[in-house]
Amino acid sequence: MHYRSFHSAMVERFGCKVYKLSLDGGFGCPNRDGTIGSRGCSFCSRLGSGDFAAPADPDIRAQLEKAKARVAHKNPGGKYIAYFQSYTNTYAPPELLRQRFSAAIEPEDIVALDVATRPDCLGPEVLQVLSEMARRKPLWVELGLQTIHPETAKAIRRGYELPVFDEAVKNLHAIGAEVIVHQILGLPGETPEMMLETARYIAKSGADGVKFHLLHILDDADLYEDYLAGRVTALEKEEYFSILSRCLQVMPPQMVIHRLTGDGAKRHLVAPLWSADKKKVLNDMNRYFAAHQVQQGSDWRSSPE
């Protein structure tokens, strides 16, 4: 085993295969409604990373059932995770969050709640709601860090400073939540060494899991204009595997690797086109790991450098 995969960690934890059911809570984003910005992060699709979520429906239970029906043939009698994916899923009145999260974790076959959000949308009242959920079922909170480099964060319009992320991790752990951090490899202007610096930071942040994403150029994201103008290029496959391998090797051995590459909606994907065949990408990636003897944690150092 080259890395501690999501699948193996779930079987170890819950005793069976576990599928995520992507939900749309109908929430907004402060980086889109004018609070912080109006156009979102430059790489983000119009659906706010929710291209695979169930269509927005205030009846969360109905969304769950539809999502289960889509994967029932893959997961007969299995367990599920309720995953609030689209936009910023703590950016709403606390009572609305409490209502929708509670509805999502009520079914017996839902073993955990997964909430994707921004580190700057975790005020005291929101943390109180999340704390209540964490006492009922395992709670994961996903934070879109993407990079630790200020110049890149500004260029992609992330909208918050690094200390905000650090504070969010601390506060989430204090209420019993597990933290999953997102990193994008291939952001404009970043060298492989810069990407590795972000990975090292995540490794030592106290995070419980990580999601690595390949930068996708989507025709409904602002980054598309930069791509057309030649200001942004997409990583080649071997290049991505090489950078990803180095990032995996600095992760602590116990950290769960939730994702090794993101999914770009094929109807909007412009580049890199090699990423469209996910099964082939994962097979090629595993062959690369084996050929180069890649092992999660082989370069991990728990003490400060």
Side-chain angles (χ1 to χ4, degrees), residues 8 11 21 29 44 58-59 66 125 135 138 207 236 266 270 288:
S8 62
V11 171
L21 303 176
C29 177
C44 206
D59 185 345
K66 289 176 184 175
E125 291 183 326
R135 290 195 291 270
E236 297 297 334
K266 290 183 182 179
V270 176
Y288 183 95

Side-chain angles (χ1 to χ4, degrees), residues 1-304:
M1 183 65 69
H2 306 292
Y3 58 93
R4 190 175 184 218
S5 70
F6 171 77
H7 171 71
S8 62
M10 293 307 98
V11 171
E12 177 186 314
R13 183 168 184 174
F14 298 111
C16 63
K17 196 170 187 177
V18 177
Y19 267 84
K20 281 190 178 182
L21 303 176
S22 294
L23 305 172
D24 186 339
F27 307 129
C29 177
N31 207 6
R32 289 176 178 266
D33 68 5
T35 302
I36 295 173
S38 58
R39 297 167 69 188
C41 295
S42 63
F43 57 82
C44 206
S45 72
R46 291 196 185 98
L47 291 177
S49 300
D51 298 274
F52 304 99
D57 182 336
D59 185 345
I60 296 299
R61 291 295 296 274
Q63 279 197 52
L64 282 173
E65 292 309 312
K66 289 176 184 175
K68 284 180 193 176
R70 287 197 294 271
V71 298
H73 64 290
K74 300 178 183 177
N75 197 34
K79 303 294 183 181
Y80 301 95
I81 295 163
Y83 177 28
F84 284 85
Q85 181 180 22
S86 305
Y87 299 112
T88 303
N89 291 284
T90 58
Y91 190 58
E95 193 48 50
L96 181 59
L97 296 176
R98 183 177 286 110
Q99 173 192 338
R100 300 213 165 148
F101 295 163
S102 293
I105 62 175
E106 189 177 342
E108 189 176 341
D109 57 359
I110 300 294
V111 295
L113 173 66
D114 189 351
V115 177
T117 190
R118 295 171 55 91
D120 54 355
C121 292
L122 291 166
E125 291 183 326
V126 169
L127 286 169
Q128 175 58 38
V129 173
L130 293 175
S131 177
E132 293 169 18
M133 300 302 121
R135 290 195 291 270
R136 294 172 61 184
K137 286 189 178 177
L139 169 67
W140 301 342
V141 178
E142 302 195 15
L143 300 176
L145 175 64
Q146 321 306 3
T147 180
I148 62 167
H149 301 288
E151 62 273 27
T152 311
K154 183 178 180 181
I156 62 175
R157 304 194 303 261
R158 189 181 66 187
Y160 69 85
E161 302 296 326
L162 188 57
V164 177
F165 165 80
D166 296 329
E167 184 71 12
V169 174
K170 183 182 77 172
N171 291 339
L172 288 167
H173 280 155
I175 65 165
E178 297 172 40
V179 178
I180 302 165
V181 182
H182 292 231
Q183 177 180 0
I184 296 178
L185 304 180
L187 286 170
E190 291 211 343
T191 64
E193 191 56 43
M194 290 172 72
M195 299 175 217
L196 190 60
E197 287 171 3
T198 294
R200 287 195 184 104
Y201 196 93
I202 293 170
K204 297 183 179 181
S205 69
D208 304 281
V210 63
K211 280 187 172 181
F212 292 108
H213 299 267
L214 165 67
L215 178 69
H216 289 104
I217 310 298
L218 306 172
D219 65 13
D220 64 343
D222 284 359
L223 206 58
Y224 180 50
E225 296 176 14
D226 292 327
Y227 177 78
L228 290 178
R231 294 188 293 269
V232 175
T233 57
L235 293 175
E236 297 297 334
K237 183 160 59 174
E238 289 273 319
E239 190 179 13
Y240 181 73
F241 292 171
S242 174
I243 297 167
L244 176 63
S245 296
R246 295 180 70 192
C247 292
L248 270 178
Q249 289 172 169
V250 302
M251 290 295 145
Q254 74 276 12
M255 185 177 283
V256 179
I257 310 301
H258 286 250
R259 185 178 283 276
L260 288 168
T261 181
D263 289 322
K266 290 183 182 179
R267 64 186 181 280
H268 294 297
L269 181 66
V270 176
L273 292 177
W274 60 261
S275 68
D277 188 342
K278 186 174 180 180
K279 186 174 181 181
K280 185 178 189 308
V281 170
L282 291 175
N283 286 337
D284 290 348
M285 186 183 296
N286 282 318
R287 279 193 289 270
Y288 183 95
F289 290 164
H292 293 81
Q293 298 182 314
V294 175
Q295 181 63 50
Q296 177 183 344
S298 61
D299 291 334
W300 159 247
R301 300 290 183 272
S302 58
S303 58

